[in-house]
Structure formats: structure tokens, C-alpha cells
Amino acid sequence: QQQVKQSPQSLIVQKGGISIINCAYENTAFDYFPWYQQFPGKGPALLIAIRPDVSEKKEGRFTISFNKSAKQFSLHIMDSQPGDSATYFCAASSRSGYSTLTFGKGTMLLVSP
Amino acid sequence: NAGVTQTPKFQVLKTGQSMTLQCAQDMNHEYMSWYRQDPGMGLRLIHYSVGAGITDQGEVPNGYNVSRSTTEDFPLRLLSAAPSQTSVYFCASRPDSTLYEQYFGPGTRLTVT
């Protein structure tokens, strides 16, 4: 049972455009929703994260939008740059127990010059 | 701080061989985890530890053993390698149960022939 569904699998965006990656979750106990960025040959690194008490969080060109009732959250990359080309993972975690992170399957983003 | 370090970076094994993937962190983090990353599958949790002497299974534990004798080290053992264990393995750590950000190592690419 996949608890976090991520789409699309891959995405090509023109330089300067907006990249949008969507995730949906099933477990209503989830209370932490991070996005990780991974460059080829590297480990994932935390990009931005949100908790369900806010509907949006912005850090520079990266914004998370969160819809608690729909159990969905998305990553928006404004003014996408070739340096943003990477694989992006959404994830979710709950406070109960060890609170392991459950990851989506990833989105490979290519920003064309 | 070196952060999370993993050795080796690459490894080729024959079916049935055993080996240990090393992971160390110098941030005094209590929580450590092992993930495997396969194309189109995202990151799946193998085993995790909430402190020295305490380990538990994740989503895909079969074929792997772990132990945690010190806060710094969390090795992953493959007792009898199988081709299905060909993957990229990531170790991660985080401070404690209240801080969710995970720090990932650079990964070990394992091929089992």
C-alpha cells in the first residue's frame, strides 16, 4: 500500500517556467511534509518542509502548497533554472512512534535552457 | 563536521557473498536509518535505530541485518547477497523524535551478479 503518491514521474520545463509536482497522502496522522532534492550521484537533501497548520510555505523560488481536506500537497518552483534539474521526492511523517518518513516515488525534473 | 559518511562508494558482489555497508555520523544524532533506492520505487526504509542498542525493521528488512553498538555507527549487513539486492543504499540520521529533518549520506551503489 503506497501511502504517498507522487506525480508526475518526470517533468520537462523551460528555463524561467514554473515546475509543479504533486503529492497525495492517505494517512491522516501525518503531520510533517518535507520535500527532498537529489542530484545525480548524491544523497537526498531537505529542500523545504511544511506542517499542516499552514496552507503555504515559501522559501525563495520554492513554495509548498498544502490542502489538508484533500490530503494533497505540492511543490512549486518559480522561475525554474537548469540548476534545478534533479529528482524531487515528497515525503510524510507522523509524530506517533518513531515517525519514519514515507517517501513518494520521485519526480525527475529537467529544466531546459 | 563530516556529516553522514558511507563506505564503500561502489561495490560488486557475487550471489551468496556477504558484506557490510558502513555508515557513520559525527553529529551525535540519536536516530539513524538505512534506505534503498531503486528506479521508480523511491526510497524504502530497510532498518532504523532510535539509539545505541535499539533497532527495528522498516518496510523491506528481509536479507539485511543491523546493529547499533555506538551512537556514531550503524552498519548494514548483507548475509547472503542476491541479485534483488542490487540497489543504491543510503544511510540517514536525525537528532531525535522532535526534529524531523533527516541528513543523508552520499550512498553506496551495490551490484550483485
Side-chain angles (χ1 to χ4, degrees), chain A residues 50-103:
Chain A
I50 197 169
R51 296 189 185 274
D53 52 343
V54 296
S55 60
E56 187 175 282
K57 183 173 181 180
K58 185 175 182 178
E59 289 184 3
R61 296 184 293 107
F62 300 90
T63 300
I64 300 180
S65 297
F66 183 77
N67 185 330
K68 189 174 181 178
S69 61
K71 294 187 286 186
Q72 294 175 347
F73 58 109
S74 60
L75 176 69
H76 292 64
I77 306 174
M78 313 300 288
D79 186 25
S80 299
Q81 299 296 313
D84 297 331
S85 298
T87 299
Y88 293 81
F89 294 96
C90 63
S93 180
S94 72
R95 230 180 276 269
S96 62
Y98 163 62
S99 61
T100 60
L101 276 173
T102 299
F103 284 88

Side-chain angles (χ1 to χ4, degrees), chain A residues 38 51 89 95 98-99 105, chain B residues 31 33 37 40 94 100:
Chain A
Q38 183 183 30
R51 296 189 185 274
F89 294 96
R95 230 180 276 269
Y98 163 62
S99 61
K105 292 189 175 183
Chain B
Y31 286 32
S33 307
Q37 183 176 20
R94 73 177 223 240
Y100 291 101

Side-chain angles (χ1 to χ4, degrees), chain B residues 7-86:
Chain B
T7 56
K9 201 165 177 63
F10 301 96
Q11 183 71 48
V12 179
L13 288 178
K14 293 189 188 310
T15 297
Q17 287 185 316
S18 63
M19 79 159 296
T20 300
L21 278 62
Q22 301 292 344
C23 174
Q25 51 91 9
D26 61 359
M27 299 174 282
N28 202 32
H29 287 175
E30 287 297 318
Y31 286 32
M32 297 185 74
S33 307
W34 276 102
Y35 294 86
R36 61 177 288 172
Q37 183 176 20
D38 303 291
M41 298 296 291
L43 291 148
R44 294 183 291 170
L45 182 66
I46 304 172
H47 284 286
Y48 63 94
S49 169
V50 299
I54 307 170
T55 64
D56 207 345
Q57 297 180 350
E59 181 186 354
V60 288
N62 292 343
Y64 308 95
N65 277 355
V66 292
S67 60
R68 184 101 178 269
S69 56
T70 67
T71 299
E72 295 77 19
D73 301 298
F74 190 42
L76 178 72
R77 295 184 189 85
L78 284 71
L79 298 178
S80 178
S84 61
Q85 294 178 304
T86 294

